[in-house]
Amino acid sequence: MAANGMNGFAEAKLENDDFAPSDPLKTIRAFDAFPKTKPSYTEQTNSGGVWTIILVLASLWLANTELSRWWKGNTTHSFSVEQGVGHDLQINLDVVVRMKCEDLHVNVQDASGDRILAGSTLHKDPTAWIQWGNNRRMHTLGATREERLEVKSAGEYREEDVHDYLGAATKSKKWPRTPKLPRNIDSDSCRIYGSMEGNKVQGDFHITARGHGYMELGQHLDHNTFNFSHHINELSFGPFYPSLTNPLDNTIATTDSHFQKFQYYLSIVPTVYTTNPKALKKYTDKYHSSPSSGEDELRAHRMRGAKNAVFTNQYAVTEQSHPVPENAVPGVFVKFDIEPILLTIAEEWSSLLSLLVRVINVISGVLVAGGWLYAMSEWAKEMRSRGQRAPGAQYEGILSPTTPSVSDEKRKQLGF
């Protein structure tokens, strides 16, 4: 009866779990699609432990990389046609010329034929050239990078981060004061600084000597007093942000020639730095002036007080200088052209859900790849151990028919 009971138990394919108390979660466990291996069938090895530690460290490192990348954000550059009606363009200038103020004229002339006497708008302060030659960030323009590095503490223009622009825009917008002249030193230079309004069209402004460049009444200046060596402290367009770095900021150019012509060709691109591009698109108005044109246009814009957007202008510059004959006009000439495009530099962050998906993908990929590498290493180790066995050698095994057992030896001795 016991045998029949046991056979009936086996024929019915019953297990011990079938006689356990009913579990309400048994129905849910029936949907388990992940196979389980009993602990008695698993084996822990040293190589498996090493591989596990390596995979855990690799997963943590890659997850930390994804988290750091998400924290820093993603900077995008997009171009579009500049919205708004452009009328004026604010020019911010701070330059020191190695000539006396009464001997210099500053004028602006644009493609429409308008001429602005910038000398009546800008400030002129007498100063000494030696007071401006010790700027640690000064650098020359038009030389190679190797020659630029020969200058002590030479500075080189680099595009700043979006947060650097946002932070610099909140700083003071006042012009720095002209340093006082030391005792027993006469002024031999002139600092010209301030902001002026011009038409938002192609144009140029130039610094020339009195009596040269335009037909005007006045005493003809002696040519021996010409020296257009200059130090550009600030040259920017649009709203004045003195803390932002522009390509011509802290640029120095010197000459020993009385008739030297310095020419700068600028290509201006209206630029917006923001950490909220969605709000920028929402408040863009094509019927008002562009906020990148100047302070007045910025005050009229609906995002004028926003701390997550800076409206400014970038420019690329090409420089050349050469001596000119005495019948030509020496001086400093800056020609600028305005591009009809708007560059938006935005820093954005993805959602937490996308971050979680990326981290899970990275960790899953590491574990899957690590599993394959571990299986291949174990297979290679097994193949290597088989190759090291001696040829023709026989190894004992439980199911080996060629291996004589002890009972067989006794039977032979007893004559069975």
Side-chain angles (χ1 to χ4, degrees):
M1 292 294 293
N4 293 335
M6 293 298 295
N7 292 337
F9 181 85
E11 292 175 358
K13 298 182 179 180
L14 298 177
E15 297 181 358
N16 294 331
D17 295 338
D18 296 329
F19 297 95
S22 60
D23 189 358
L25 300 179
K26 185 176 181 181
T27 306
I28 300 177
R29 285 200 296 267
F31 294 96
D32 189 1
F34 301 96
K36 307 295 188 299
T37 303
K38 293 184 177 181
S40 58
Y41 296 154
T42 60
E43 180 183 0
Q44 295 180 342
T45 61
N46 294 332
S47 60
V50 172
W51 273 96
T52 302
I53 295 175
I54 293 176
L55 293 181
V56 170
L57 294 178
S59 300
L60 292 176
W61 178 71
L62 292 176
N64 181 65
T65 302
E66 288 292 333
L67 182 61
S68 302
R69 187 181 303 173
W70 176 84
W71 181 261
K72 293 179 181 178
N74 181 33
T75 303
T76 60
H77 297 68
S78 60
F79 291 91
S80 62
V81 178
E82 184 183 16
Q83 299 292 327
V85 181
H87 298 284
D88 300 328
L89 178 64
Q90 180 176 324
I91 303 175
N92 310 302
L93 177 66
D94 186 357
V95 60
V96 179
V97 183
R98 201 169 186 176
M99 291 179 63
K100 294 185 178 181
C101 292
E102 59 270 17
D103 296 337
L104 293 174
H105 278 180
V106 184
N107 299 283
V108 178
Q109 187 171 5
D110 55 41
S112 62
D114 291 347
R115 177 186 171 191
I116 302 173
L117 297 178
S120 59
T121 306
L122 302 177
H123 304 279
K124 292 183 179 180
D125 292 343
T127 184
W129 180 258
I130 59 174
Q131 293 180 289
W132 302 91
N134 296 326
N135 191 338
R136 296 181 178 180
R137 296 180 299 171
M138 71 176 184
H139 64 277
T140 58
L141 194 67
T144 62
R145 185 175 184 274
E146 289 74 14
E147 294 175 350
R148 224 181 270 182
L149 293 176
E150 292 179 0
V151 182
K152 293 182 179 180
S153 302
E156 188 169 0
Y157 170 76
R158 294 180 180 178
E159 185 180 20
E160 299 178 2
D161 187 73
V162 174
H163 288 280
D164 295 335
Y165 275 88
L166 296 179
T170 59
K171 297 182 180 180
S172 175
K173 295 185 178 182
K174 296 182 179 180
W175 293 95
R177 295 182 178 181
T178 304
K180 295 182 179 180
L181 287 172
R183 294 182 179 181
N184 303 325
I185 295 181
D186 297 330
S187 63
D188 59 350
S189 302
C190 180
R191 181 195 177 197
I192 307 170
Y193 65 98
S195 300
M196 54 184 174
E197 295 287 341
N199 296 325
K200 196 172 182 180
V201 295
Q202 180 183 358
D204 64 274
F205 67 88
H206 34 267
I207 304 174
T208 56
R210 173 169 52 88
H212 293 74
Y214 291 99
M215 297 298 296
E216 55 186 345
L217 298 177
Q219 183 180 3
H220 188 75
L221 190 63
D222 185 9
H223 293 172
N224 292 327
T225 61
F226 289 1
N227 190 341
F228 288 98
S229 299
H230 57 276
H231 187 291
I232 301 177
N233 302 312
E234 170 81 20
L235 179 57
S236 60
F237 300 86
F240 178 48
Y241 299 110
S243 299
L244 300 185
T245 303
N246 299 282
L248 282 178
D249 291 356
N250 302 303
T251 300
I252 186 172
T254 58
T255 180
D256 296 328
S257 174
H258 297 298
F259 280 80
Q260 187 79 9
K261 187 175 185 178
F262 297 92
Q263 294 176 301
Y264 299 94
Y265 300 93
L266 277 60
S267 181
I268 304 173
V269 179
T271 307
V272 179
Y273 293 88
T274 181
T275 56
N276 192 359
K278 295 181 180 179
L280 183 65
K281 294 179 180 179
K282 180 180 179 181
Y283 291 109
T284 299
D285 190 350
K286 63 180 179 180
Y287 299 107
H288 292 80
S289 298
S290 172
S292 300
S293 300
E295 297 287 348
D296 296 336
E297 290 77 7
L298 182 60
R299 295 190 190 100
H301 196 266
R302 286 182 286 181
M303 291 188 66
R304 57 187 177 273
K307 297 182 180 180
N308 54 8
V310 174
F311 301 90
T312 182
N313 293 272
Q314 291 190 112
Y315 60 85
V317 59
T318 302
E319 182 267 353
Q320 67 174 4
S321 62
H322 55 85
V324 295
E326 293 188 2
N327 58 352
V329 180
V332 180
F333 299 84
V334 179
K335 185 176 182 179
F336 56 88
D337 192 9
I338 304 172
E339 301 295 337
I341 58 176
L342 174 66
L343 171 61
T344 302
I345 303 178
E347 190 171 81
E348 302 177 272
W349 290 267
S350 57
S351 62
L352 290 174
L353 180 60
S354 61
L355 172 64
L356 181 62
V357 170
R358 288 202 304 269
V359 171
I360 292 176
N361 289 338
V362 168
I363 296 178
S364 302
V366 170
L367 296 180
V368 171
W372 279 98
L373 292 176
Y374 172 72
M376 294 176 62
S377 64
E378 292 296 321
W379 175 80
K381 186 186 299 184
E382 182 180 356
M383 296 300 295
R384 182 180 179 183
S385 61
R386 289 182 180 181
Q388 292 178 350
R389 295 177 180 177
Q394 295 182 352
Y395 301 90
E396 294 184 358
I398 298 177
L399 302 178
S400 175
T402 59
T403 304
S405 61
V406 179
S407 59
D408 294 336
E409 294 293 337
K410 289 183 178 181
R411 289 178 181 178
K412 290 182 180 179
Q413 294 177 358
L414 297 175
F416 289 102

